[in-house]
Amino acid sequence: MISHLETPIPIHAQPVLCETELVAVLVSISNNTPHILTLDQGSAFPSGPLMVEHRSLQKGMRNWVEQQTGLKLGHTEQLYTFADPLHGRGHQMVRISYMAFIRQNSEHTLAERSIYDYFPWEDRRDRASDPLLHIIAERLRHWADNNSNRWQRCATVFGLDNHAWNDELSLQRYELLWEAGLVPESTWQNAPVLPGLSMHRDYRRILATALSRMRAKIRYTPAVFDLLPRQFTLLQLQQAMEALAGRAMHKQNFRRLVQQQKLVSRTAEYDSPTQGRPAQLYQFAPETAEHCYLAGAKLPLPAIS
Amino acid sequence: MISHLETPIPIHAQPVLCETELVAVLVSISNNTPHILTLDQGSAFPSGPLMVEHRSLQKGMRNWVEQQTGLKLGHTEQLYTFADPLHGRGHQMVRISYMAFIRQNSEHTLAERSIYDYFPWEDRRDRASDPLLHIIAERLRHWADNNSNRWQRCATVFGLDNHAWNDELSLQRYELLWEAGLVPESTWQNAPVLPGLSMHRDYRRILATALSRMRAKIRYTPAVFDLLPRQFTLLQLQQAMEALAGRAMHKQNFRRLVQQQKLVSRTAEYDSPTQGRPAQLYQFAPETAEHCYLAGAKLPLPAIS
DNA sequence: TCATATATACTCATTAAGAGCATATATAGC
DNA sequence: GCTATATATGCTCTTAATGAGTATATATGA
């Protein structure tokens, strides 16, 4: 034991007062694409001050959002806490960000903006984003120049040079583009910047964090079911997974794995399609819900890396 | 779009000032067991106020700890942010907790307490914790009584009834014991409580969060190497993984997988043992380091669930 | 009847993972 | 030299998960 560690570090030496704000990333699915609720022409998330009467942060967030919007929140998860100095005022601003899922519902369309409006390169369900990926690869190669470590990093994060695309790395991809000056938020810009909406403050970074987290979350927990209607077809489930992961999947294998997991049970009802055979409606199996959540049963998605 | 969502939620309506504190969970390995730095007879973590001059929370944490203790921090990660009302003062206390790894070093023994002093049931490397697990199982069965959902949850979280033990569920296990009144921190206690040190405030809950996170982290990133000396034997590496995961592993398979991953490279040096053949010293392969971190290359641990 | 879309049953190859057996190899101590 | 000890390595097996493909019912609207 080194001696100076035995001196307790002073607690509350000089308490610095902070303004504390809760930031909510509210996610739902519409048009087979993940959407978020935004304010200010898509450049901000709803946010509000932390109230004294909030007993816990999570409860505070839920109450506040439900009160303001009337929306019921599903799976809720703390993302990250950021701090900015408030210049000249001698105190700081702390922002605690949360992500919450909202069930798809015909009565409202919460969704204002597609997440992929902000990160067009993250939607790789079809080949439409390939040209953009090629542009990014070229611009990154130029930025990396002859720095091989830097290029190594680009290649792994963006799945170039024989590397597989890993959908959970969306935050790292955004950070890399930021460093390379390819997004308008970069302190120095390597104009022209890439397509994709930007946001105020570090909100787009928070959104990239949310995208990473939701992609990881749906793989290991049944959180997707908080985005789908109570009853859904297997195709809807697959499309929701594909929408979030930004990747297409093999239908037969998807069903094999879904039914192995016993996460869903069929109902007596059927979909009413415009054409073709009506699809059976399923529901999230309530009896195994908690069980699977905790055991880390994973939903089928192509294995990463 | 439902109409009232178009009204922006007021920002900064009534800023509530908070005291903000950084809490550090400093982890290192000694005696083949993960240890943490604690204060106040093991009942608190080092913590200190957030300073105005800290540009980012993570940097603020690093500077503050390094200044106070002289320790270099390795892998650092934000854990969770908690809030408590400060009664009668009209404002709140926000605590932002971080976990950081500290390299094993002969010059200091940072470690004051074994993590398993707080969670004796989490160390399942040998059969020594089996009797305790049996006691827990009985007490939980009594608590669950005839509530089958409740028992279902107990069984999956604690690996009872044909369920596999999942080392990453340490937080859920602690929360379950809390609910069942089997830890002294519970608001209602189901005395006698289980063995294991407790801590002030929700610090023991933060520690359970840290344990979950580090177990997940070492599986998917090379963060363990920030706990080991620069040069280490393969047995040391395996023992470090076992110490953190709380599980024993198969030596041959461990080595097969480690060498497949190409995460380590041999040095020219050897260990000097008291007995037996000297072991070759390895180092974390610097050239593939970043690569593997980002690709999510995983270190071998028995598959969960 | 045909187009369309759901639903299901298979096969096949590859890989990872868990477990075990055997056998070198290098040191200290007797 | 011999033995105990611990490192280091090679090999076989089995099982399960994964990715991909082929084929074929089945139920609707037009």
Side-chain angles (χ1 to χ4, degrees), chain A residues 96-281:
Chain A
I96 307 171
S97 56
Y98 276 86
M99 171 174 76
F101 286 175
I102 290 163
R103 195 178 301 286
Q104 192 178 341
N105 188 324
S106 51
E107 289 171 35
H108 67 253
T109 355
L110 164 75
E112 274 195 294
R113 303 275 179 170
S114 161
I115 292 185
Y116 298 128
D117 288 347
Y118 298 89
F119 308 109
W121 55 86
E122 293 289 342
D123 186 0
R124 311 215 52 200
R125 283 176 286 180
D126 51 42
R127 318 253 88 195
S129 63
D130 283 5
L132 177 57
L133 249 293
H134 271 101
I135 292 170
I136 292 176
E138 271 175 46
R139 309 281 300 272
L140 286 176
R141 203 183 303 268
H142 180 254
W143 172 67
D145 199 21
N146 284 323
N147 184 328
S148 78
N149 269 354
R150 199 179 252 187
W151 175 249
Q152 176 72 288
R153 194 169 145 227
C154 295
T156 38
V157 168
F158 277 92
L160 310 170
D161 286 359
N162 290 329
H163 292 278
W165 174 265
N166 180 339
D167 52 80
E168 292 184 23
L169 297 182
S170 38
L171 176 59
Q172 283 95 322
R173 281 188 285 269
Y174 174 75
E175 286 178 334
L176 199 54
L177 295 180
W178 193 94
E179 282 181 59
L182 300 176
V183 290
E185 303 92 301
S186 304
T187 44
W188 64 283
Q189 282 157 43
N190 195 345
V193 295
L194 296 172
L197 294 179
S198 71
M199 302 184 84
H200 289 156
R201 310 184 183 282
D202 357 330
Y203 286 161
R204 203 189 189 190
R205 195 181 185 284
I206 294 182
L207 184 56
T209 308
L211 185 57
S212 281
R213 288 281 193 91
M214 74 183 79
R215 285 177 170 181
K217 215 68 188 182
I218 59 162
R219 187 173 269 117
Y220 300 110
T221 78
V224 226
F225 299 111
D226 283 353
L227 290 167
L228 288 170
R230 295 276 175 203
Q231 298 198 337
F232 48 84
T233 68
L234 291 181
L235 184 63
Q236 269 182 291
L237 175 58
Q238 180 177 347
Q239 284 172 336
M241 296 291 282
E242 289 179 333
L244 293 170
R247 312 206 62 183
M249 298 172 57
H250 186 276
K251 186 193 267 191
Q252 291 91 325
N253 292 344
F254 180 82
R255 290 176 183 224
R256 173 174 65 185
L257 293 171
V258 161
Q259 292 177 338
Q260 266 176 11
Q261 298 291 104
K262 292 183 187 163
L263 283 170
V264 297
S265 59
R266 55 193 342 157
T267 68
E269 293 170 63
Y270 291 85
D271 195 18
S272 33
T274 53
Q275 256 184 330
R277 172 176 171 175
Q280 182 128 37
L281 287 172

Side-chain angles (χ1 to χ4, degrees), chain A residues 22 24 26 37 46 54-55 57-76 99-103 108 110 226 230, chain B residues 2 4-5 9:
Chain A
L22 294 172
L26 302 178
L37 174 62
H54 293 156
R55 273 164 307 167
L57 290 176
Q58 177 130 337
K59 274 193 193 126
M61 222 278 295
R62 297 178 78 97
N63 293 345
W64 161 67
V65 173
E66 289 176 4
Q67 201 175 359
Q68 293 276 344
T69 66
L71 296 166
K72 284 272 166 222
L73 301 192
H75 171 82
T76 305
M99 171 174 76
F101 286 175
I102 290 163
R103 195 178 301 286
H108 67 253
L110 164 75
D226 283 353
R230 295 276 175 203
Chain B
I2 49 182
H4 55 273
L5 275 183
I9 292 162

